[in-house]
Amino acid sequence: MRVLGIETSCDETGVAVYDTAPGAGLLAHAVYSQIALHAEYGGVVPELASRDHVRKLLPLVRQTLAEAGLAPGDLDGVAYTAGPGLVGALLVGAGTARALAWSLDVPAVAVHHMEGHLLAPLMEDNPPDPPFVALLVSGGHTQLVAVEAIGQYRLLGETLDDAAGEAFDKTAKLMGLPYPGGPQLAALAERGTPGAFRFARPMTDRPGLDFSFSGLKTQVLLAWQQSDQGEQTRADIARGFEDAVVDTLAIKCERALDAAGSDTLVIAGGVGANKRLRAKLQEMCARRGGRACFPRPSLCTDNGAMIAFAGALRLEAGQHEDTSVRVTPRWDMATLPPLAAASP
């Protein structure tokens, strides 16, 4: 089954084609980022994001099909992100996907954005089999999820305020780094001196699997305001902040593995591309005799490949939508049907 995937939940327009035939896999994918558009505002402007998706989506579909060597009529299904996300941006992708599916007389399926992220590592070589624990860590989400099977998810813990990626972006902004701040801060931390600044590992001194990063952000603000604000100091604070986030995530992940009785950890989402986090979690899992599974860095951030893959699994299980165009800006992943329960 050849499935076109469309991702428009926020400020990236992602399109991909995934083929479920043995040995085929991801045929082509492309992502257009709106970073330059939103940079002058210091964050994503929803109306501008929606309009830019309208401008870029169809050309990107044509480009991706051409790179895959396919015509529209070669597709067997269309998958699109239906939530969570910005309602206007979601509607652009959903409306386009439904129109394409109707014109081609193929089924279309709505995909949960975070399920797409969660399943992205399964596109890599030697994919893990459920059950496993997943850390979903991005600008909008920080969650620990017990995955019993594809479509069977149990929330173990989540952030009570800022997500880890959001904390990276806000911390970078308060130190004067340009938008988007998270990658800028991580690059700056490479030049920082380990241990020059040490910040708390929030909520690790108590039981539980929830996260909170807002207090850490405040600690960094105070340290920055009271420092000489020189370039090396900025790098040292960035390193201290990154180490605090990475250590906190690792501590909570190890607790989650113990709670779920698992030795396999899947990490997905934009922050999953962070080099220090990848190294820390790989070391932790190896020490336990388990494994940490990541998608390639290009599939950590929002992309159409994860939507095409997740959609293909659900389409093959018989799940599809009617002709209505519906999106769900707030969507609990625990409400998703397991594949075995999908409608024929």
Side-chain angles (χ1 to χ4, degrees), residues 113-115 117-118 121 133-145 157-159 162-169 211 213 245-246 248-250 252-253 265-274 277-278 281 293-295 297 299-302 306 333:
H113 179 76
M114 295 311 295
E115 182 177 50
H117 275 303
L118 188 153
V133 170
L135 170 67
L136 304 179
V137 57
S138 66
H141 299 82
T142 301
Q143 298 177 330
L144 283 164
V145 178
E158 62 184 340
T159 185
D162 291 347
E166 183 181 9
F168 264 94
D169 289 338
F211 302 90
F213 295 106
V245 173
V246 167
T248 299
L249 292 172
K252 296 285 187 171
C253 283
L265 178 67
V266 161
I267 304 93
V271 182
N274 182 279
L277 178 64
R278 292 170 86 97
L281 294 181
C293 305
F294 300 84
L299 298 186
C300 286
T301 54
D302 294 351
M306 67 184 192
M333 197 166 64

Side-chain angles (χ1 to χ4, degrees), residues 1-332:
M1 173 176 277
R2 293 166 172 170
V3 177
L4 179 75
I6 293 175
E7 156 61 24
T8 62
S9 65
C10 190
D11 62 338
E12 271 99 22
T13 310
V15 178
V17 178
Y18 189 88
D19 190 344
T20 61
L26 185 61
L27 302 183
H29 79 105
V31 177
Y32 170 76
S33 175
Q34 300 177 3
I35 285 175
L37 174 66
H38 301 287
E40 64 177 296
Y41 304 100
V44 177
V45 181
E47 177 64 19
L48 295 181
S50 302
R51 293 183 182 189
D52 219 35
H53 286 310
V54 171
R55 183 174 67 89
K56 292 298 296 185
L57 182 52
L58 284 178
L60 210 59
V61 169
R62 297 189 190 101
Q63 173 189 326
T64 306
L65 286 173
E67 290 176 358
L70 300 176
D74 296 324
L75 296 171
D76 302 303
V78 181
Y80 59 94
T81 302
L86 304 175
V87 62
L90 291 168
L91 283 168
V92 174
T96 302
R98 284 291 346 157
L100 283 171
W102 180 83
S103 66
L104 298 172
D105 193 26
V106 297
V109 65
V111 174
H112 191 290
H113 179 76
M114 295 311 295
E115 182 177 50
H117 275 303
L118 188 153
L119 298 179
L122 276 62
M123 285 189 279
E124 306 297 348
D125 294 336
N126 191 25
D129 293 319
F132 53 75
V133 170
L135 170 67
L136 304 179
V137 57
S138 66
H141 299 82
T142 301
Q143 298 177 330
L144 283 164
V145 178
V147 180
E148 307 300 334
I150 295 176
Q152 293 183 332
Y153 309 122
R154 178 167 52 91
L155 182 66
L156 299 174
E158 62 184 340
T159 185
L160 304 179
D161 40 58
D162 291 347
E166 183 181 9
F168 264 94
D169 289 338
K170 290 181 177 180
T171 300
K173 185 175 182 179
L174 67 85
M175 289 199 298
L177 296 175
Y179 173 86
Q184 301 275 351
L185 188 146
L188 185 63
E190 293 293 326
R191 306 198 300 270
T193 305
F197 286 84
R198 179 173 175 81
F199 302 110
R201 276 55 175 163
M203 296 186 70
T204 59
D205 59 349
R206 68 193 78 174
L209 297 172
D210 288 331
F211 302 90
S212 172
F213 295 106
S214 61
L216 176 59
K217 183 182 61 184
T218 302
Q219 289 182 51
V220 173
L221 174 61
L222 293 174
W224 174 245
Q225 290 176 336
Q226 295 166 9
S227 75
D228 61 13
Q229 299 191 6
E231 282 305 306
Q232 186 57 47
T233 300
R234 192 198 306 260
D236 291 344
I237 291 176
R239 177 60 185 267
F241 169 80
E242 184 180 61
D243 283 345
V245 173
V246 167
D247 286 351
T248 299
L249 292 172
I251 291 167
K252 296 285 187 171
C253 283
E254 185 156 23
R255 289 183 186 176
L257 290 170
D258 289 338
S262 176
D263 61 0
T264 302
L265 178 67
V266 161
I267 304 93
V271 182
N274 182 279
K275 293 178 182 178
R276 192 158 285 114
L277 178 64
R278 292 170 86 97
K280 184 80 172 182
L281 294 181
Q282 285 170 338
E283 184 277 329
M284 181 269 288
C285 288
R287 171 170 49 79
R288 296 169 54 94
R291 60 186 293 221
C293 305
F294 300 84
R296 70 201 77 166
S298 64
L299 298 186
C300 286
T301 54
D302 294 351
N303 63 85
M306 67 184 192
I307 303 304
F309 177 69
L313 296 180
R314 290 194 172 274
L315 285 168
E316 285 198 321
Q319 180 179 336
H320 58 84
E321 315 304 324
D322 59 28
T323 56
S324 302
V325 178
R326 290 188 297 267
V327 297
T328 310
R330 295 182 180 274
W331 191 0
D332 183 356

